[in-house]
């Protein structure tokens, strides 16, 4: 499929060297990751000073705490950015965070086009990252307490069609990741139950508006 990433970076070093693998510019001088090397490395340096786990999700460097997604560091064609999954809950007195898209509810992003902007806002970024860690950790503890007495439920595999769609639409993937495990499981079971690939894709795209609003399948 044309939606399938050419390759998923195994780690951040590979991402920086070769790109995200989501388009034909992968591992070429025209790749947007190469255009923002200095900015990406500086942003990663700031994030790595905090108590976060680093991995690759949606083909970009993603940072988590206690299993909860906190932020990602990535390159877009016009800028490099830190994307806070729960950015709307952060205290941002200096107004350096923006909505990454018109459909974004919780996500907020710090965007930069040069290293001077990062240096100027470095202290503010550290404060925002630390806030994000505290909020994510508190949410993870609350979620754990809510589910601690429930029986273990088998993990539902993500249909390939869903993986392909969110690879091209990371905002969609970020909103899905913020749903509770129960809501995620219900959607995945609904998507996977369709026998035909085209039907699975249709179900995923039909559910997109509700997921962007943070709603489960059966929420009012």
């Amino acid at each position: 499929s044309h939606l399938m990433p050419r390759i998923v970076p195994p780690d951040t070093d590979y991402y920086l060297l070769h790109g995200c693998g989501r388009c034909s510019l992968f591992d070429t001088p025209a790749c947007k990751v190469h255009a923002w090397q200095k900015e990406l490395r500086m942003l990663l340096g700031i994030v790595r000073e905090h108590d976060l786990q680093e991995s690759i999700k949606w083909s970009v460097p993603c940072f988590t705490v206690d299993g909860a997604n906190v932020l990602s560091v990535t390159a877009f064609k016009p800028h490099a950015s830190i994307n806070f999954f729960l950015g709307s809950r952060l205290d941002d007195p200096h107004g350096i965070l923006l909505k990454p898209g018109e459909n974004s509810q919780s996500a907020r992003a710090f965007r930069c086009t040069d290293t001077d902007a990062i240096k100027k806002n470095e202290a503010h970024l550290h404060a925002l990252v630390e806030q994000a860690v505290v909020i994510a950790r508190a949410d993870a503890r609350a979620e754990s307490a809510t589910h601690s007495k429930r029986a273990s439920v088998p993990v539902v595999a993500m249909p390939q069609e869903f993986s392909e769609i969110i690879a091209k639409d990371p905002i969609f993937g970020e909103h899905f990741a913020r749903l509770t495990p129960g809501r995620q499981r219900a959607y995945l079971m609904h998507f996977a139950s369709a026998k035909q690939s085209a039907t699975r894709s249709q179900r995923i795209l039909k559910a997109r508006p509700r997921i962007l609003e943070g709603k489960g399948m059966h929420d009012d």
Side-chain angles (χ1 to χ4, degrees):
S1 170
H2 68 284
L3 293 175
M4 180 69 74
R6 295 180 64 206
I7 191 168
V8 176
D11 53 40
T12 300
D13 288 340
Y14 191 98
Y15 169 83
L16 291 171
L17 286 173
H18 303 285
C20 67
R22 293 200 298 237
C23 75
S24 61
L25 298 179
F26 172 72
D27 207 17
T28 71
C31 173
K32 57 184 178 291
V33 174
H34 296 307
W36 303 111
Q37 281 288 302
K38 291 181 179 179
E39 291 77 11
L40 289 171
R41 292 179 185 276
M42 190 173 291
L43 293 174
L44 286 166
I46 290 172
V47 173
R48 285 168 172 167
E49 291 187 32
H50 298 266
D51 186 17
L52 290 158
Q53 291 79 54
E54 181 175 345
S55 63
I56 294 291
K57 291 187 179 183
W58 308 292
S59 297
V60 301
C62 185
F63 294 80
T64 63
V65 60
D66 296 336
N69 294 317
V70 178
L71 60 88
S72 63
V73 175
T74 187
F76 293 92
K77 188 174 182 179
H79 56 258
S81 70
I82 297 181
N83 306 296
F84 295 92
F85 296 131
L86 298 177
S88 64
R89 295 166 60 184
L90 301 178
D91 182 18
D92 177 27
H94 301 281
I96 64 174
L97 298 182
L98 303 171
K99 278 190 172 186
E102 62 181 33
N103 290 321
S104 299
Q105 299 296 319
S106 299
R108 296 292 185 272
F110 169 77
R111 297 173 176 173
C112 60
T113 55
D114 55 55
T115 56
D116 288 342
I118 301 174
K119 293 175 183 176
K120 177 182 176 181
N121 293 289
E122 185 171 357
H124 307 327
L125 289 170
H126 276 296
L128 290 168
V129 173
E130 190 56 34
Q131 280 189 65
V133 170
V134 170
I135 290 172
R137 182 165 285 128
D139 285 355
R141 288 173 179 169
E143 185 76 18
S144 177
T146 299
H147 294 281
S148 61
K149 295 182 180 180
R150 297 181 182 177
S152 176
V153 179
V155 174
V156 180
M158 181 179 291
Q160 180 179 342
E161 293 80 5
F162 192 33
S163 298
E164 294 174 356
I165 288 171
I166 62 176
K168 296 292 290 183
D169 188 355
I171 297 298
F172 184 17
E174 291 168 9
H175 280 74
F176 182 80
R178 288 197 294 272
L179 295 175
T180 63
R183 288 188 176 96
Q184 291 183 16
R185 190 178 301 112
Y187 276 120
L188 292 177
M189 290 177 66
H190 174 61
F191 300 156
S193 65
K195 295 182 179 180
Q196 300 296 323
S197 177
T199 306
R200 289 193 289 271
S201 296
Q202 290 171 1
R203 289 186 178 184
I204 293 164
L205 294 174
K206 185 176 180 180
R208 185 180 185 276
R210 294 184 63 81
I211 292 172
L212 291 177
E213 293 177 3
K215 293 181 178 180
M217 284 186 58
H218 309 294
D219 293 345
D220 293 333

